[in-house]
Structure formats: structure tokens, C-alpha cells
Amino acid sequence: MEFPDYATLACAMARPHVLQATLNRPEVMNALNTQMGHDLLDLWTRLTEDPGDVRCVVLTGAGERAFCAGGDLKERNGMSNDQWRRQHELFERAYARLIDLPVPVIAAVNGAAYAGGFELALACDFIHAAETARFALTEATLGIMPGCGGTQNLPRAIGERRAREMIMTGRPCTARQAYEWGAVNCLVEPGRLLEEALDTAATIAGNAPLSVRQVKKSIRYGMQMELQTALRFEVEAYNHLIHTADRAEGVLAFNEKRKPRFQGQ
């Protein structure tokens, strides 16, 4: 699959069926500016409309200092209220498209993930982090508040009381704390982070892509329902897979003691 030559993102197929998307503004700690908002929205939209060969995405940041430091405050300095609101609406659309993306996304957090950068990681399916990474939602220290899912996704990840303290104080936590609280799935030595995240992505990409998408949908929407409704939703998602060629291939490969050749059909 080919991608545009984005101004703020570097996109490449790093493994079979695995896309590596890199936030590529290392000179400003990969801060989110308007162009990055447009680039992210375009990428997630393309993958939603036609993922092609992509079955899993690893999202990371360029350089060693930061995954993403949040909004670019130098660009925002001097913005009118209307300009600020329009930019934030662009970010909102990009984050919403990421959250609803059918293809799973792993955040490989290689450094600081602050404010909108932490919200971006939280919008992914799960997070792998370097042991040196740090996380914070610092918006309250700037006279604003998290506005791209932070007040909703963080409490769901680490619990309401810890999230209240983090967001209200703006204080950062270490990667170890984020792991122990449940926001991060695993900690990795900095030099091994990307390779480990790509290995996990390759494992996911090796599974039946339609199954993975239905799993993501069932968890995403089922968690917002009461249990009995969620269980019925899960069964409906399951039933969509019964008549697929991949379901037949998976059973046949098991009985023939070979690796299945899933086609996403």
C-alpha cells in the first residue's frame, strides 16, 4: 500500500502487513501542529476506507526524546479564539478517526508523551513503552483541559482516582508507574522498543484480519454497554465470521498441521 509524502509523518511497511507510522517532527519533540492534524486525519481516513495489506499499525515518534510533546504551543501563540477552536476541531476529528479505526494500532512510546501526545497514545489499542518514557496530561497548567479523550480514556485505563490526580495536578508519571497502573502493557529497554512493538504487531497481523477487526469492535463498543447487551453484541460479531473463507481456512490448517493462509475474506 502506498501513502502520500506526509510533511509530518513517515509511513513505511516495516513487516508484512504491518505499517509503521512515525510522528516526524523530532526538532520540536514531535509536537502536534495543524499540518500534523491534517496528516493524521488523512492517514486514519485512508486506512478506514481501504486498509489494503495493512493489518496492524505501530505508531511511534521520531528521535529518542519524545513520542509526542502535545500541541505545538509556538504555533498556537497568538492564535485567535476562532483559530484555536478550528485547530482543535481538526484534532478532534483525527483522534476520533483513530479510535474508530478498524485496524489495531499499537503505540510505541519512545519518550515523553505529554498532553495531546498522551491522549494520542491512549487512543491506540494499547501501549508499549520504553523504560525511560514519561506520561502526563499537562493541560490544566496551561489554562485548558484535555479535549481529545484524556478525561475519558485515562480513568478507564488507570482508575478514576489516579486519573483525577494526574489531570488536576498535571504532574508526570514514569513508565514504570504507568505500567503498574495499567496504562501501559509492557516496558522495554529503549533500544528494543520498536522491534518489540513490531514483533507484537506481526503476531496480530498473522491472525485472521476479519477476526481481529471483529474483536476490536466487540471490545470497543461492548465495554460501553451493560453486560447482557454486550454479550449479544459479541455473538453478532462472532456470527459475521462463520461464513468467511478465513474461518474455513483456519480450521483446515489446524487439521492439516500447517500455518493458515488468511486472506481477509
Side-chain angles (χ1 to χ4, degrees):
M1 187 174 184
E2 294 186 2
F3 297 92
D5 186 16
Y6 293 118
T8 67
L9 302 177
C11 294
M13 298 300 291
R15 302 280 179 84
H17 306 295
V18 175
L19 172 67
Q20 179 182 327
T22 304
L23 307 173
N24 195 25
R25 303 185 71 219
E27 70 282 1
V28 290
M29 298 180 68
N30 303 314
L32 283 154
N33 64 356
T34 301
Q35 184 60 54
M36 185 178 283
H38 284 295
D39 290 347
L40 287 169
L41 178 59
D42 184 81
L43 175 61
W44 307 139
T45 299
R46 287 173 183 271
L47 289 173
T48 297
E49 293 175 349
D50 181 13
D53 291 336
V54 177
R55 297 182 183 179
C56 193
V57 179
V58 172
L59 179 65
T60 193
E64 299 179 355
R65 297 172 60 206
F67 172 76
C68 175
D72 188 334
L73 297 182
K74 288 185 178 180
E75 182 189 50
R76 282 181 160 181
N77 189 34
M79 275 187 176
S80 68
N81 292 341
D82 285 341
Q83 289 172 327
W84 189 295
R85 185 178 296 108
R86 284 196 299 271
Q87 186 198 53
H88 198 270
E89 287 172 351
L90 169 64
F91 293 161
E92 291 166 34
R93 293 197 301 274
Y95 281 59
R97 188 55 64 99
L98 169 58
I99 290 171
D100 289 335
L101 187 67
V103 177
V105 183
I106 303 170
V109 177
N110 50 305
Y114 282 9
F118 191 14
E119 289 181 296
L120 188 61
L122 288 168
C124 297
D125 288 275
F126 52 89
I127 301 171
H128 289 183
E131 294 169 338
T132 52
R134 290 173 69 82
F135 300 86
L137 291 176
T138 56
E139 287 88 345
T141 70
L142 300 170
I144 52 176
M145 63 171 280
C148 285
T151 64
Q152 304 306 307
N153 288 328
L154 187 61
R156 285 167 168 79
I158 69 173
E160 181 182 341
R161 290 182 177 276
R162 282 197 177 107
R164 284 175 188 248
E165 182 175 357
M166 258 193 100
I167 296 170
M168 291 178 182
T169 64
R171 291 198 297 249
C173 71
T174 65
R176 172 62 60 181
Q177 287 173 310
Y179 171 73
E180 291 174 350
W181 294 346
V184 169
N185 283 46
C186 69
L187 299 180
V188 189
E189 294 178 7
R192 282 281 306 154
L193 173 66
L194 187 56
E195 199 69 18
E196 192 279 336
L198 290 171
D199 285 346
T200 300
T203 299
I204 293 171
N207 292 332
L210 296 180
S211 297
V212 172
R213 292 180 199 178
Q214 289 298 95
V215 166
K216 178 169 179 172
K217 182 187 297 184
S218 185
I219 294 173
R220 165 76 177 147
Y221 293 105
M223 289 294 291
Q224 301 174 42
M225 305 173 185
E226 51 84 24
L227 182 57
Q228 289 304 314
T229 303
L231 290 171
R232 293 307 308 165
F233 186 84
E234 178 187 76
V235 170
E236 289 301 315
Y238 177 94
N239 287 340
H240 278 291
L241 300 170
I242 292 175
H243 300 290
T244 64
D246 281 353
R247 193 274 305 163
E249 165 64 10
V251 174
L252 182 63
F254 176 84
N255 284 284
E256 293 180 349
K257 295 180 173 57
R258 61 173 174 81
K259 187 175 181 179
R261 295 181 289 271
F262 294 124
Q263 302 297 319
Q265 299 175 349

